[in-house]
Amino acid sequence: AQKITQTQPGMFVQEKEAVTLDCTYDTSDQSYGLFWYKQPSSGEMIFLIYQGSYDEQNATEGRYSLNFQKARKSANLVISASQLGDSAMYFCAMKRAAGNKLTFGGGTRVLVKP
Amino acid sequence: SAVISQKPSRDICQRGTSLTIQCQVDSQVTMMFWYRQQPGQSLTLIATANQGSEATYESGFVIDKFPISRPNLTFSTLTVSNMSPEDSSIYLCSVDSGASGGLQYFGPGTRLTVL
């Protein structure tokens, strides 16, 4: 079974600074995908960034980048130049190549301080 | 990306009653998914709904408690039956985007409180 671990239940970050959210995963599959979602207090799930297990380059999307270390089975999210609107829950998720199920980590709550 | 709406956005219900949640997508999609997020917890997949076939339920979820309909390629419903306070959660539907990797887009969620 796949397992996603997010060890940081909550984090404070100063506005305009960068923050790294940890995510480690456990799978015996060779082909899989890793996702990060943001969940504001409104409850919606907003897709941020995707990394395929065979992608050689780390994914980037605007202020979001994914530090993918396949050998260590980690997929950390880096948010640069934090903004007040970044305050939210962040979830790491994984999907096997075979199957459609997304498995989520426990989430990390980020609070950006002005 | 797909635009997904859910109705109702929130509800407060009495125990023993049932609530049907609707999920509408602005484009045709093969697979739709229903997730539950209990207070302070992560998301757990309830079932996968494909049009024209019975939903596939995850371990711990049964059709009698969470019946699902999928009448066409843009719509699905999830019913939470015989509710108890433990069913108080956010219920989210999602759709497979069709993009490589299996990206799923989520609806805004239905926030359910059972008294």
Side-chain angles (χ1 to χ4, degrees):
Chain A
Q2 327 314 308
K3 184 176 181 181
I4 307 291
T5 302
Q6 295 180 250
T7 58
Q8 306 151 310
M11 299 181 70
F12 286 100
V13 58
Q14 202 66 40
E15 191 178 12
K16 300 180 184 177
E17 292 186 350
V19 61
T20 298
L21 308 184
D22 295 341
C23 173
T24 58
Y25 57 93
D26 184 19
T27 182
S28 57
D29 291 358
Q30 294 301 311
S31 181
Y32 49 88
L34 296 158
F35 304 83
W36 278 91
Y37 286 87
K38 172 185 178 181
Q39 187 179 43
S41 57
S42 58
E44 62 186 309
M45 292 289 285
I46 302 168
F47 165 69
L48 296 178
I49 197 166
Y50 164 78
Q51 179 85 41
S53 60
Y54 290 115
D55 294 342
E56 295 185 353
Q57 303 251 349
N58 285 341
T60 61
E61 289 285 350
R63 293 187 299 111
Y64 304 107
S65 60
L66 202 153
N67 183 2
F68 180 48
Q69 299 187 42
K70 191 171 182 177
R72 299 180 59 184
K73 294 187 177 179
S74 74
N76 298 339
L77 176 70
V78 180
I79 306 174
S80 62
S82 296
Q83 302 171 356
L84 296 179
D86 293 334
S87 294
M89 283 290 290
Y90 290 80
F91 290 96
C92 180
M94 182 174 71
K95 193 188 92 61
R96 304 172 66 189
N100 307 301
K101 178 180 179 179
L102 273 180
T103 301
F104 285 86
T108 296
R109 182 174 298 280
V110 172
L111 183 60
V112 180
K113 299 187 293 184
Chain B
S1 64
V3 177
I4 305 168
S5 60
Q6 286 186 234
K7 290 181 182 180
S9 58
R10 60 175 63 230
D11 207 341
I12 300 173
C13 300
Q14 297 296 320
R15 70 167 68 213
T17 63
S18 298
L19 177 71
T20 295
I21 302 168
Q22 299 179 5
C23 180
Q24 180 77 52
V25 191
D26 69 341
S27 58
Q28 295 184 339
V29 294
T30 303
M31 285 182 287
M32 297 179 75
F33 307 89
W34 287 99
Y35 288 83
R36 180 178 74 181
Q37 186 179 24
Q38 294 178 301
Q41 303 294 314
S42 186
L43 280 74
T44 301
L45 181 64
I46 297 172
T48 302
N50 289 335
Q51 193 266 339
S53 63
E54 294 288 327
T56 302
Y57 289 83
E58 296 295 307
S59 175
F61 297 96
V62 295
I63 187 171
D64 290 347
K65 176 67 176 177
F66 298 102
I68 289 171
S69 77
R70 182 78 201 274
N72 57 51
L73 291 172
T74 63
F75 187 79
S76 179
T77 67
L78 169 76
T79 299
V80 186
S81 303
N82 188 25
M83 289 184 286
S84 67
E86 291 71 36
D87 294 319
S88 297
S89 297
I90 300 174
Y91 292 86
L92 299 110
C93 71
S94 73
V95 303
D96 191 305
S97 66
S100 62
L103 168 63
Q104 292 181 18
Y105 292 116
F106 283 81
T110 295
R111 196 177 294 264
L112 171 63
T113 300
V114 183
L115 303 178

